[in-house]
Amino acid sequence: MDEPNFLLRSDLLAGGTTSDEIRQAVRSGRLRNVTRGVYVDGGGDVDPLTLHHARVLARRGRTTPDDVVSHVSAAVLHGLPLWNVDLSPVHISRDRSSGRRTPTLHVHRCTYQPDEVCVVAGLRTTTVAQTVVDLARTLSADSAVIAGDAALRAHPDIAPLLLDALASSGMRHGIAAARRTVAFLDGRSESPGESLSRLRIRSAGLPAPKLQHELRTPSGAFVARPDFLWEDEGVVGEFDGRSKYGSDEPGATAETVHREKLREDAIRALGFEVVRWTWADLFRFEAVHARLVRAAGRARRR
């Protein structure tokens, strides 16, 4: 993730801006205070991830030699997607700490080995693999799988390192959940919605689908690479990600709708039923489950 463009109070004062002018800029909304002595431009919307990133970077020069940026904050520094996660406190781990939490700082009592720590943006930070395991211990399965799938997609070489991180975590709180989550991760999921779809498919008791499997004609011509394929059942599943993270984004154009129709027609010509679902459907997946079962029934009757 690129560093947010934040302003330090000390730099503003050194440049000739007075304390009264800084306070006025905050009151008027031209500056937004993200943490003590750190501001970002208030002229536009600043997303929570960017604000959290700024708060983490603001700790440069204020950490102790034992401090390690970890958990959610490490995920932000590594550019991992986070969904439905509290971004209010910065997460720091310390070897010799009883652990404490305030509205802006969560200190974990945790010891890391040298190979579990790297340096990101000048801050000692847990590695991607260690971060994924820590998230899997402390977040919901939904949130942890979204981040973990993305980590494996961007860094496929971390797969054995995840097992090492699990082993070195010993009996830390949440380690059993972390083992289950890490075993489920798959870097072939290409979006948060696809990651959640896999979780919903598992919870519904459906067989595990093939991910991103290429479909070709008998002559070998490429047709499609659907999100999910139940080859034996004759069903293709597609997550419609136009409404990413549940936000309202511009709808598909007539051209994209037409292209998608032609693509689905080509898939059906191979003998597969196609079932699509959206972000909202992930939170009422029983309806999708029923549609998948009906689709499999139609495919069998062909």
Side-chain angles (χ1 to χ4, degrees):
M1 177 181 287
D2 294 334
E3 290 195 10
N5 183 23
F6 64 91
L7 304 169
L8 299 179
R9 177 181 174 85
S10 57
D11 291 342
L12 292 172
L13 293 173
T17 305
T18 67
S19 296
D20 285 343
E21 288 171 335
I22 294 173
R23 283 193 291 271
Q24 178 57 36
V26 171
R27 283 196 296 268
S28 67
R30 288 184 288 112
L31 288 180
R32 181 183 299 189
N33 187 205
V34 296
T35 190
R36 186 176 63 183
V38 182
Y39 308 89
V40 293
D41 185 355
D45 291 334
V46 182
D47 67 88
L49 280 174
T50 299
L51 287 175
H52 188 91
H53 196 189
R55 292 188 184 104
V56 176
L57 296 182
R59 296 197 62 81
R60 286 186 295 208
R62 296 165 51 196
T63 58
T64 72
D66 290 333
D67 285 357
V68 178
V69 177
S70 62
H71 298 75
V72 168
S73 297
V76 171
L77 288 188
H78 287 301
L80 302 182
L82 293 171
W83 177 77
N84 200 26
V85 173
D86 181 11
L87 292 170
S88 302
V90 170
H91 291 257
I92 299 290
S93 289
R94 288 177 181 154
D95 187 1
R96 293 177 292 276
S97 171
S98 59
R100 65 186 178 91
R101 180 167 185 171
T102 72
T104 59
L105 183 65
H106 189 161
V107 179
H108 302 261
R109 182 181 182 181
C110 205
T111 302
Y112 295 108
Q113 299 303 313
D115 62 352
E116 296 167 343
V117 178
C118 61
V119 176
V120 181
L123 289 162
R124 296 179 72 238
T125 306
T126 51
T127 61
V128 173
Q130 185 62 52
T131 300
V132 168
V133 169
D134 286 340
L135 296 180
R137 291 192 302 105
T138 56
L139 298 183
S140 70
D142 284 1
S143 301
V145 169
I146 284 174
D149 279 356
L152 269 177
R153 184 168 66 252
H155 310 279
D157 57 320
I158 70 168
L161 301 179
L162 290 171
L163 300 180
D164 292 343
L166 284 172
S168 66
S169 294
M171 296 304 295
R172 289 176 184 166
H173 176 75
I175 191 62
R179 292 192 186 102
R180 292 191 296 270
T181 295
V182 168
F184 184 72
L185 298 180
D186 196 312
R188 291 173 295 176
S189 288
E190 295 183 340
S191 70
E194 290 180 32
S195 296
L196 287 184
S197 294
R198 292 198 304 113
L199 283 163
R200 302 300 183 264
I201 288 165
R202 182 179 68 174
S203 295
L206 292 166
K210 293 181 178 180
L211 307 182
Q212 313 300 336
H213 183 79
E214 286 190 358
L215 296 178
R216 295 181 177 272
T217 66
S219 63
F222 176 80
V223 174
R225 188 168 62 92
D227 299 331
F228 307 98
L229 172 67
W230 289 270
E231 194 164 16
D232 293 341
E233 289 79 7
V235 177
V236 159
E238 295 277 62
F239 172 72
D240 187 343
R242 279 189 286 268
S243 184
K244 186 180 180 184
Y245 293 101
S247 62
D248 295 325
E249 295 185 355
T253 65
E255 181 182 356
T256 59
V257 170
H258 179 64
R259 284 201 306 267
E260 190 57 40
K261 181 182 183 303
L262 293 177
R263 178 176 176 275
E264 287 195 11
D265 287 345
I267 293 173
R268 290 190 174 96
L270 295 178
F272 293 99
E273 292 288 323
V274 179
V275 177
R276 302 182 67 87
W277 58 87
T278 65
W279 187 271
D281 291 326
L282 295 174
F283 304 95
R284 52 185 183 217
F285 202 74
E286 62 278 1
V288 179
H289 182 189
R291 284 156 49 202
L292 289 168
V293 170
R294 289 195 298 270
R298 290 193 299 271
R300 283 195 298 271
R301 292 192 293 271
R302 287 190 174 188

